[in-house]
């Protein structure tokens, strides 16, 4: 297995944990975030790169991609949890899709993960009305 294939397999392996995190209630999300950060031995610090001003890193750049993804997701969820905005995360309303929705709309009305899913639902509703 090549290095890229190994990294891809590791990323696929953390998907269930990240899905659990992104669909958990607030208290469960805290436990998952703390577990991810503890397991990765994350140590937040400020860093600056050539073209990027000061920002937060919690793991070294040479850590496995899956670890970096998990930690960065956990770090982002800290702000979501603190702001009590977990209601902005949901599962796509399309029953044939398992995608997740991040609703940043003002009225919190986003139901689909993509325009493809939204269009599919609209076409199905139109056809149902026409045949009914």
């Amino acid at each position: 297995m090549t290095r890229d294939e190994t990294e891809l397999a590791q990323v696929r392996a953390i998907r269930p944990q990240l899905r659990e995190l992104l669909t958990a209630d607030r208290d469960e999300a805290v436990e998952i975030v703390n577990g991810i950060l503890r397991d990765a031995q994350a140590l937040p610090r400020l860093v600056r790169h050539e073209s990027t001003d000061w920002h937060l890193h919690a793991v070294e750049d040479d850590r496995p991609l899956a670890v970096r993804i998990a930690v960065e997701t956990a770090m982002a969820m800290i702000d979501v949890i603190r702001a009590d905005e977990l209601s902005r995360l949901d599962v796509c309303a399309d029953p044939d899709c398992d995608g997740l929705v991040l609703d940043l709309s003002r009225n919190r009305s986003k139901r689909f993960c993509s325009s493809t899913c939204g269009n599919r639902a609209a076409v199905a509703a139109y056809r149902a009305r026409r045949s009914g």
Side-chain angles (χ1 to χ4, degrees):
M1 191 180 279
T2 68
R3 181 174 181 251
D4 288 345
E5 290 170 334
T6 301
E7 279 191 340
L8 184 57
Q10 291 170 341
V11 169
R12 284 188 178 130
I14 65 166
R15 287 171 58 183
Q17 182 183 36
L18 295 181
R19 181 177 186 78
E20 181 184 8
L21 170 59
L22 296 173
T23 58
D25 69 31
R26 193 173 189 208
D27 291 339
E28 291 169 330
V30 168
E31 292 299 318
I32 297 167
V33 164
N34 287 338
I36 290 170
L37 297 176
R38 180 189 59 248
D39 293 347
Q41 298 177 337
L43 181 61
R45 68 200 177 288
L46 288 169
V47 297
R48 181 168 44 194
H49 304 286
E50 306 80 42
S51 61
T52 308
D53 202 7
W54 292 109
H55 59 282
L56 199 58
H57 277 217
V59 293
E60 300 297 329
D61 292 341
D62 61 353
R63 296 288 297 275
L65 179 61
V67 172
R68 294 191 324 256
I69 290 172
V71 169
E72 290 300 325
T73 303
M75 294 295 292
M77 285 298 292
I78 289 171
D79 290 332
V80 174
I81 293 166
R82 289 176 59 208
D84 199 13
E85 291 286 352
L86 273 83
S87 64
R88 293 199 177 269
L89 298 168
D90 205 353
V91 176
C92 183
D94 183 340
D96 296 327
C97 178
D98 63 355
L100 298 175
V101 176
L102 171 60
D103 186 358
L104 299 178
S105 66
R106 184 174 295 195
N107 64 355
R108 298 174 188 241
S109 61
K110 189 171 180 181
R111 298 177 43 227
F112 300 98
C113 66
S114 68
S115 58
T116 301
C117 286
N119 290 342
R120 187 177 322 135
V123 168
Y126 172 78
R127 288 180 179 158
R129 286 192 306 273
R130 297 284 292 172
S131 67

